């Protein structure tokens, strides 16, 4: 792949998530795609950071590389695996001998996590299932870290103490909060170098919002809708978004969500609009190797996705039809059993479960259905359009209306309207082939802003703006400008550059008398303006 003309800022680049599950979906898929784009297009390696205690990361990395999910410049660094192989730098003033807690005995009744046949961690819980202590071990069986969560009194949850041990079993570091351990880890990874963190997971976004270092730029990418059904900030996102202004940039996937987020959050953060890249390495989609009656859904089978609406719409569209419309559903989740039960007697609906390469089937489908309650900007929608599927989507917050033009490159249906969904399916199936081809061509063209090159350029611009805003905040004259014209906080790059130049020139003017500079008031303060 040819190098991009857009260059990401020089420094270490990180993608931050809580974990990588086996059957990961849209958010993790988008994070890995973006990281591959940074690596392949901008020649910028990316370290993906995880904080969970999953014991089999080495095997997971091998599988992901074999599947092509990780390119050569992407590493997955897990907190506990890193601590097993590295030492945290010493901290001045830290107690030399922290208090140590006794490790759980090898024959304890608690749960264990295994890597092969080796115990990597032990867990002790109370009768109610609350965690009292977790011990993390090295692969040779030596104690790595005790995480005790019953500090005031044994057997009663409360307080916390984490103690790190060296290979000789000596306690060397301790923390009262897990966030302090996280911060020390990130400090060790960055080692004072310019570093850029994109936080994908809301689980760790609350911690990353308070991780502030002069050499670190933090961006929180909000993959889903931040609003609930009542139009309020979702409880699941409130902890992170209440601190959103502490991020250097908050990124969202659509202009409409950016507008709403600026209205909903106070103080308002700097919000940038970026895209998730679709898989641009696939060959151009075929216009002939697909039946007009074939439909597809690629989604997690959860209540939020409302896949039952897609099944019901196909069933309604098949009434009195001689050539049946088919629907292939790829995905897994809590609703799969109920969906399988409802589709049991319908041969035209096929549930395939989780299929790792399900997106490769998009090129064989005529149309794709999107019926979720809410989204950020579904990656599956862009992928379906890029593959030449005609998208038929509920008009929800956010995403579909930003890319679909009704009856020009797809169909927008009022959210929850199953009858309207069925009518749109029938219209796609029954229209002449030349009209379907035109819809497909326009759908493919609409995804041009979602290529690897476009996404790298968007992130390069977002980081540039974040750096300019940070420079302005550190300049007294610039802070005065921002107080007078607060809209500059959301200004594009050229305006921020102009503000930075004005502020710098004003500061230099205060330091040097005008007579010595040889510039009169009538000549102006900024050369070239």
């Amino acid at each position: 792949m040819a190098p991009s003309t857009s260059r990401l800022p020089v420094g270490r680049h990180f993608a931050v998530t809580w974990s990588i599950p086996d059957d990961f979906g849209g958010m993790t898929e988008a994070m890995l795609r973006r990281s591959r784009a940074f690596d392949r297009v901008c020649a910028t390696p990316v370290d993906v950071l995880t904080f969970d205690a999953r014991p089999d990361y080495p095997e997971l990395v091998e599988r992901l590389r074999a599947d092509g999910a990780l390119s050569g410049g992407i590493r997955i660094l897990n907190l506990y695996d890193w601590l097993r192989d590295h030492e945290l730098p010493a901290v001045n003033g830290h107690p030399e001998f922290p208090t140590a807690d006794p490790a759980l005995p090898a024959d304890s009744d608690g749960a264990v996590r295994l890597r092969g046949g080796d115990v990597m961690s032990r867990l002790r819980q109370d009768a109610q299932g609350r965690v009292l202590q977790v011990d993390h071990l090295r692969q040779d069986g030596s104690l790595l870290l005790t995480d005790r969560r019953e500090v005031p009194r044994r057997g009663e949850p409360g307080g916390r103490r984490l103690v790190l041990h060296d290979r000789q079993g000596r306690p060397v570091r301790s923390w009262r909060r897990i966030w302090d351990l996280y911060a020390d880890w990130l400090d060790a990874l960055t080692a004072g170098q310019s570093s850029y963190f994109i936080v994908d997971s809301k689980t760790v976004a609350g911690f990353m919002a308070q991780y502030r270092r002069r050499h670190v730029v933090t961006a929180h990418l909000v993959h889903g809708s931040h609003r609930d059904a009542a139009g309020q900030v979702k409880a699941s996102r409130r902890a992170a978004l209440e601190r959103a202004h502490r991020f250097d940039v908050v990124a969202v996937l659509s202009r409409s969500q950016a507008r709403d987020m600026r209205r909903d959050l106070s103080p308002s953060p700097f919000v940038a609009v970026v895209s998730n890249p679709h898989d641009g390495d696939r060959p151009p989609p075929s216009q002939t190797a697909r039946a007009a009656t074939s439909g597809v859904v690629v989604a997690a089978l959860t209540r939020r996705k409302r896949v039952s609406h897609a099944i019901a719409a196909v069933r309604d569209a098949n009434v009195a039809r001689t050539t049946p419309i088919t629907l292939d559903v790829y995905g897994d989740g809590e609703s799969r059993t109920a969906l399988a039960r409802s589709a049991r007697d319908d041969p035209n609906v096929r549930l395939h479960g989780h299929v790792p390469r399900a997106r490769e089937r998009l090129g064989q489908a005529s149309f794709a259905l999107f019926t979720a309650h809410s989204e950020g900007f579904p990656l599956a929608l862009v992928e379906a359009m890029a593959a030449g599927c005609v998208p038929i989507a509920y008009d929800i917050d956010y995403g579909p209306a930003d890319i679909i033009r009704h009856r020009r490159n797809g169909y927008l249906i009022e959210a929850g309207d199953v009858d309207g969904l069925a009518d749109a399916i029938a219209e796609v199936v029954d229209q002449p082939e030349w009209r379907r081809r035109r819809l497909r061509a326009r759908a493919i063209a609409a995804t041009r802003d979602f290529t690897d090159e476009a996404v790298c350029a968007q992130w390069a611009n977002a980081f540039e703006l974040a750096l300019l805003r940070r420079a302005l905040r550190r300049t007294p004259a610039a802070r005065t400008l921002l107080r007078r014209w607060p809209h500059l906080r959301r200004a594009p790059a050229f305006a921020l550059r102009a503000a930075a130049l004005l502020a710098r020139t004003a500061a230099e003017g205060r330091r040097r008398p005008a007579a010595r500079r040889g510039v009169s008031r009538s000549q102006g303060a900024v050369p070239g303006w």
Side-chain angles (χ1 to χ4, degrees):
M1 186 175 290
S4 172
T5 55
S6 299
R7 292 298 179 193
L8 294 166
V10 175
R12 299 282 305 279
H13 284 260
F14 299 90
V16 184
T17 188
W18 175 253
S19 65
I20 299 180
D22 288 318
D23 54 347
F24 59 78
M27 187 204 78
T28 302
E29 177 68 25
M31 176 190 69
L32 295 177
R33 289 248 181 110
R34 183 191 68 236
S35 300
R36 292 199 300 271
F38 282 15
D39 179 30
R40 294 172 175 174
V41 176
C42 293
T44 300
V46 177
D47 287 336
V48 178
L49 306 185
T50 64
F51 295 77
D52 65 328
R54 176 173 181 156
D56 62 337
Y57 269 106
E59 292 83 356
L60 173 65
V61 169
E62 289 183 10
R63 291 199 302 271
L64 292 176
R65 290 207 185 280
D67 292 341
L70 300 181
S71 56
I74 301 176
R75 298 187 300 176
I76 294 179
L77 302 181
N78 173 257
L79 167 66
Y80 299 101
D81 280 342
W82 190 93
L83 290 174
R84 289 180 177 107
D85 297 329
H86 302 81
E87 293 184 2
L88 287 173
V91 176
N92 294 332
H94 198 279
E96 187 175 356
F97 298 106
T99 301
D101 291 305
L104 297 173
D107 58 352
S108 62
D109 295 331
V112 297
R113 297 186 182 98
L114 298 174
R115 177 178 296 173
D118 299 319
V119 176
M120 306 306 289
S121 61
R122 293 191 179 93
L123 176 72
R124 180 165 59 88
Q125 298 170 291
D126 65 9
Q128 288 74 43
R130 296 173 296 185
V131 176
L132 299 177
Q133 182 170 334
V134 182
D135 288 353
H136 300 275
L137 310 176
R138 297 181 178 86
Q139 199 150 5
D140 62 6
S142 62
L143 181 62
L144 173 71
L145 181 78
T146 58
D147 180 0
R148 185 178 165 194
R149 308 180 193 185
E150 42 160 8
V151 173
R153 184 177 300 178
R154 281 280 182 180
E156 295 183 10
R160 196 166 188 176
R161 181 165 56 232
L162 302 104
V163 181
L164 182 69
H165 295 73
D166 64 15
R167 292 188 177 275
Q168 287 71 44
R170 297 172 299 197
V172 291
R173 296 283 295 274
S174 66
W175 302 267
R176 292 182 180 275
R177 300 191 314 155
I178 191 71
W179 282 14
D180 295 333
L181 169 57
Y182 295 167
D184 284 347
W185 182 42
L186 299 189
D187 288 345
L189 290 175
T190 59
Q193 302 177 56
S194 295
S195 299
Y196 299 83
F197 290 81
I198 300 178
V199 184
D200 289 271
S201 168
K202 61 178 178 286
T203 305
V204 292
F207 157 69
M208 290 299 300
Q210 60 87 47
Y211 180 71
R212 307 295 298 161
R213 302 291 188 269
R214 291 182 65 86
H215 65 285
V216 168
V217 173
T218 56
H220 178 27
L221 175 54
V222 181
H223 286 265
S225 172
H226 67 284
R227 285 181 166 182
D228 59 21
Q232 303 299 314
V233 175
K234 288 181 178 177
S236 61
R237 295 191 178 275
R238 193 171 298 133
L241 294 183
E242 283 177 349
R243 304 182 182 94
H245 61 284
R246 298 183 183 178
F247 287 102
D248 294 293
V249 55
V250 174
V252 294
L253 302 170
S254 69
R255 293 183 296 275
S256 53
Q257 186 170 9
R259 178 198 64 223
D260 289 345
M261 188 166 284
R262 293 186 185 108
R263 293 172 178 171
D264 295 342
L265 302 182
S266 181
S268 176
F270 168 48
V271 182
V273 179
V274 298
S275 302
N276 280 330
H278 68 77
D279 192 349
D281 293 338
R282 295 179 187 163
S286 169
Q287 292 280 27
T288 58
R290 64 180 96 205
T293 56
S294 60
V296 67
V297 169
V298 179
L301 303 188
T302 62
R303 276 183 266 180
R304 183 174 67 85
K305 295 293 187 178
R306 293 193 289 198
V307 177
S308 60
H309 288 213
I311 294 173
V314 168
R315 192 168 286 152
D316 291 348
N318 269 328
V319 173
R321 183 175 293 275
T322 56
T323 303
I325 299 169
T326 62
L327 183 67
D328 289 287
V329 179
Y330 298 95
D332 207 347
E334 64 194 32
S335 301
R336 183 179 180 183
T337 301
L339 292 172
R341 191 182 306 116
S342 69
R344 182 171 49 204
D345 299 325
D346 190 343
N348 300 314
V349 177
R350 300 181 286 262
L351 271 66
H352 299 273
H354 175 70
V355 177
R357 296 183 179 273
R359 289 170 173 81
E360 295 178 359
R361 315 285 178 92
L362 292 169
Q364 303 167 15
S366 178
F367 61 90
L369 301 179
F370 301 90
T371 52
H373 277 287
S374 64
E375 295 279 8
F377 202 125
L379 179 61
L381 172 61
V382 178
E383 290 178 321
M385 295 176 71
C389 288
V390 177
I392 304 174
Y394 280 162
D395 187 7
I396 58 169
D397 289 340
Y398 298 94
D402 288 77
I403 191 171
I404 295 176
R405 299 294 174 264
H406 188 57
R407 286 198 169 95
R408 287 186 56 80
N409 61 7
Y411 291 80
L412 285 173
I413 310 301
E414 183 180 354
D417 182 4
V418 175
D419 291 338
L421 205 65
D423 291 343
I425 293 171
E427 182 173 326
V428 170
V429 170
D430 293 337
Q431 64 190 205
E433 179 60 28
W434 66 265
R435 186 170 294 171
R436 270 195 304 273
R437 288 189 176 217
R438 188 168 63 181
L439 279 171
R440 298 192 205 290
R442 288 172 175 169
I444 294 169
T447 65
R448 62 182 177 272
D449 291 335
F450 300 85
T451 63
D452 288 350
E453 292 81 0
V455 170
C456 285
Q458 292 162 12
W459 275 108
N461 186 61
F463 282 135
E464 179 187 10
L465 290 174
L467 290 168
L468 284 169
R469 291 177 70 252
R470 178 176 283 194
L472 286 172
R473 288 199 303 268
R474 291 175 179 170
T475 307
R479 288 198 294 270
T480 301
L481 283 174
L482 291 175
R483 282 196 298 270
R484 291 181 179 176
W485 297 290
H487 61 277
L488 283 175
R489 297 179 189 276
R490 306 192 195 106
F494 74 89
L496 287 174
R497 291 193 195 98
L501 179 60
L502 285 168
R504 185 167 60 251
T505 305
E508 291 173 355
R510 285 194 298 273
R511 288 195 296 269
R512 294 183 295 167
R516 293 181 63 184
R517 294 199 314 269
V519 179
S520 69
R521 292 177 182 271
S522 62
Q523 289 176 300
V526 183
W529 279 56

